[in-house]
Amino acid sequence: MPSPSSLFSAFASITASIMFFQSMLNQILPKQVYDYLISILQNLFKAHARTLTFVFNENNEFGFPNEVYDAAGVYLDAIRGPNNKRLNVSKTPDEKGLIFRLESEETVTDLYEGIQLHWTFVCLKREENSFRNSNISDSSSSEKRSYELSFHNQHESKVSNSYIPFLLDRAKAISDEKRVLKMHTLSNSSYDGINWQSVNLHHPATFETVAMDQNKKDDIINDLNRFVKRKEFYKKVGRAWKRGYLLYGPPGTGKSSLVAAMANYLKFDIYDLQLASIKRDSELRRLLLATGNRSILVIEDIDCSIDLPERLRGDEEEKSDHQNDKDSALTLSGLLNFIDGLWSSCGDERIIIITTNHKERLDPTLLRPGRMDMHIYMGYCTFEALKQLASNYLEISGDHHLYGEIQSLLGETEVSPAQVAEEFLKYENADSALEEFVKFLKKRKMESGECE
């Protein structure tokens, strides 16, 4: 039997020979050929192990982003562990925090319903000729990036039909939590005409802070929840996946705050459509087609933003409309066609909100179900809404000895939530603020009586 020293010498000789041949191959063979041979050996081992690998490239052959690739990056960042030693860290102005991604050849193991799955991030340099002929024009196009998912081939059906949909849903939920909402407004460019321009939306309004009766809040929240969960239902009944809300009532009653609360609740971007900036139906159609899914399109104060031809009004106004038609081709029918016509199907999970101070001035065709599905009256401040405002501005969580008198005065005086908030902002002390607010209500009551 060979001695331990002779076995060690033989092992060292074999190791040195392997390293020598590997070094020779690196020097003799071009890198592409060397990588190709290595990939063949890896595939042979994988075939022997009955392993199947799905490859998710960053872009498809036409240069469009691969949804599964993007979802994998988000999902793997959430499940990576201490075994991952190299991470790519970045941050953009639009992101709330740091973005972590795996570096090339880093692997993450996942377990799904008893199936072991191995993810590997692969980043390869493109060949120069391939790069020149590529249709992809982004700054990273010199690299070919992909995620490889390896698993036992007997689980192919479950991975395709169950795990990947789970991955997409989970990544969407994670992204929604980190998403920075956008407010899109119209910007006029001398080169491209009028287009959307976006800024970050940091409006703090939520359903917890909006001054509104709780029953009305609950009705709105339930309607929104029902809407976002019924994609298949809308498809089954042949309707576009959209929902229309009309917010109407006096100025200062919280219509804009409610829009912001809805956006924050759903994690939807807002598109603020100013009709006065649009001249033609074709321009309106182009702008509306450029809005994204999971968004809220808002048309504020529609009754005074622009005189739309075809509105039902008096004889004198109809005469002025005739002249308006010559100067502007933006029509009510053009707007209605996108809200409820064939163009309404160009997009999913859309909410359309129209606000007005005078519901009676709007054309009845704009208000029917299917266009404005839910009409929400935003009225003067109620006692329940006042308590919410007192909690927001004065940090009063319970009862107050002046609440009884305030409740009685609110029943006899019309005051908007905006007016209440303005009064509360004048004082830092809660007791002083409510005492002065009682005086404010009594003065309003007296002025109202004198006007009568």
Side-chain angles (χ1 to χ4, degrees):
M1 183 174 179
S3 63
S5 59
S6 61
L7 288 174
F8 179 78
S9 298
F11 176 76
S13 177
I14 292 172
T15 303
S17 299
I18 292 174
M19 294 178 64
F20 173 75
F21 282 115
Q22 185 178 18
S23 176
M24 289 293 294
L25 287 174
N26 279 328
Q27 294 178 9
I28 296 174
L29 296 177
K31 186 177 186 305
Q32 292 86 349
V33 177
Y34 178 80
D35 290 341
Y36 178 71
L37 292 175
I38 293 297
S39 67
I40 290 178
L41 290 174
Q42 290 176 340
N43 289 333
L44 287 175
F45 281 112
K46 288 181 180 179
H48 180 71
R50 300 177 66 188
T51 298
L52 182 63
T53 299
F54 287 171
V55 179
F56 306 103
N57 292 318
E58 182 178 15
N59 301 287
N60 65 13
E61 62 270 25
F62 301 107
F64 294 109
N66 182 351
E67 183 182 359
V68 182
Y69 173 91
D70 294 334
V74 174
Y75 177 69
L76 295 178
D77 177 33
I79 68 168
R80 61 182 172 81
N83 292 332
N84 297 117
K85 305 301 182 183
R86 301 183 71 244
L87 300 174
N88 185 298
V89 185
S90 62
K91 187 182 186 306
T92 66
D94 295 339
E95 295 291 337
K96 294 180 180 178
L98 298 176
I99 303 172
F100 294 91
R101 292 293 183 266
L102 300 177
E103 272 290 89
S104 185
E105 305 304 325
E106 283 287 312
T107 299
V108 174
T109 299
D110 193 16
L111 190 66
Y112 178 77
E113 296 185 2
I115 304 173
Q116 196 171 55
L117 305 111
H118 303 282
W119 286 93
T120 304
F121 177 62
V122 179
C123 182
L124 300 174
K125 294 289 184 181
R126 292 181 185 271
E127 296 182 15
E128 187 175 352
N129 292 336
S130 172
F131 170 54
R132 288 176 179 174
N133 296 329
S134 174
N135 292 324
I136 306 171
S137 58
D138 63 292
S139 59
S140 61
S141 56
S142 60
E143 297 177 338
K144 181 180 180 181
R145 294 178 292 199
S146 62
Y147 285 102
E148 294 186 354
L149 174 60
S150 300
F151 53 91
H152 197 287
N153 57 14
Q154 70 180 10
H155 302 302
E156 178 181 359
S157 177
K158 175 158 279 191
V159 171
S160 300
N161 301 321
S162 182
Y163 177 69
I164 293 179
F166 159 79
L167 166 76
L168 293 170
D169 290 341
R170 187 74 189 100
K172 178 177 177 293
I174 296 171
S175 297
D176 285 346
E177 287 296 320
K178 298 180 178 180
R179 185 181 181 190
V180 176
L181 301 184
K182 295 288 186 180
M183 164 72 85
H184 301 264
T185 57
L186 296 180
S187 174
N188 199 353
S189 169
S190 58
Y191 298 100
D192 303 323
I194 191 167
N195 284 299
W196 293 112
Q197 184 178 43
S198 66
V199 295
N200 290 346
L201 177 65
H202 296 301
H203 200 295
T206 65
F207 279 110
E208 287 73 26
T209 62
V210 168
M212 181 186 293
D213 291 342
Q214 190 60 46
N215 290 337
K216 190 174 290 187
K217 287 185 189 181
D218 293 340
D219 289 342
I220 298 171
I221 292 172
N222 292 335
D223 193 76
L224 292 173
N225 289 337
R226 184 165 52 249
F227 166 72
V228 297
K229 293 177 181 178
R230 303 183 84 185
K231 178 179 181 179
E232 294 304 320
F233 173 80
Y234 277 84
K235 183 178 180 180
K236 182 179 69 174
V237 300
R239 291 189 57 173
W241 192 16
K242 65 177 183 61
R243 190 78 172 154
Y245 296 87
L246 174 70
L247 310 185
Y248 66 100
T253 51
K255 292 184 283 292
S256 297
S257 294
L258 178 58
V259 171
M262 294 168 74
N264 286 326
Y265 181 76
L266 295 174
K267 301 295 183 183
F268 280 17
D269 287 346
I270 293 178
Y271 288 82
D272 182 22
L273 182 65
Q274 303 103 31
L275 292 179
S277 302
I278 303 171
K279 302 301 182 185
R280 292 172 293 277
D281 282 348
S282 59
E283 193 172 53
L284 174 67
R285 183 164 56 248
R286 178 176 61 83
L287 288 169
L288 294 177
L289 288 174
T291 60
N293 293 338
R294 294 175 56 79
S295 62
I296 298 176
L297 177 71
V298 182
I299 306 175
E300 290 194 281
D301 300 323
I302 190 172
D303 55 298
C304 57
S305 61
I306 190 172
D307 288 330
L308 288 172
E310 305 172 25
R311 287 183 57 176
L312 303 179
R313 295 175 294 184
D315 293 339
E316 292 184 3
E317 289 179 296
E318 287 179 0
K319 293 178 182 178
S320 65
D321 278 348
H322 181 70
Q323 179 63 35
N324 194 36
D325 286 338
K326 297 179 181 179
D327 301 330
S328 172
L330 176 62
T331 62
L332 178 60
S333 60
L335 177 62
L336 296 181
N337 190 40
F338 194 89
I339 293 178
D340 194 33
L342 291 175
W343 289 102
S344 66
S345 60
C346 300
D348 277 338
E349 212 167 356
R350 305 277 186 86
I351 287 177
I352 301 170
I353 298 179
I354 290 177
T355 73
T356 179
N357 298 333
H358 304 283
K359 179 182 177 181
E360 69 280 0
R361 295 182 184 177
L362 302 184
D363 192 314
T365 59
L366 181 63
L367 304 180
R368 70 169 177 80
R371 289 171 179 162
M372 294 296 104
D373 304 291
M374 190 173 184
H375 296 197
I376 303 170
Y377 176 67
M378 307 292 290
Y380 290 108
C381 190
T382 63
F383 178 63
E384 186 174 355
L386 178 128
K387 289 195 295 183
Q388 180 63 63
L389 290 169
S391 174
N392 296 345
Y393 289 86
L394 307 177
E395 298 183 351
I396 300 176
S397 57
D399 290 330
H400 193 277
H401 68 276
L402 291 175
Y403 272 176
E405 186 176 5
I406 290 175
Q407 185 175 11
S408 177
L409 288 168
L410 284 176
E412 303 170 345
T413 311
E414 292 182 344
V415 58
S416 70
Q419 291 172 315
V420 175
E422 184 60 31
E423 291 300 314
F424 285 171
L425 280 172
K426 296 178 181 179
Y427 308 95
E428 295 183 3
N429 180 272
D431 291 334
S432 299
L434 290 181
E435 289 171 1
E436 293 300 322
F437 184 64
V438 169
K439 297 177 183 178
F440 170 79
L441 289 178
K442 289 179 178 179
K443 181 180 178 181
R444 293 273 299 183
K445 180 183 176 182
M446 183 182 301
E447 291 173 350
S448 177
E450 292 176 353
C451 292
E452 293 176 0

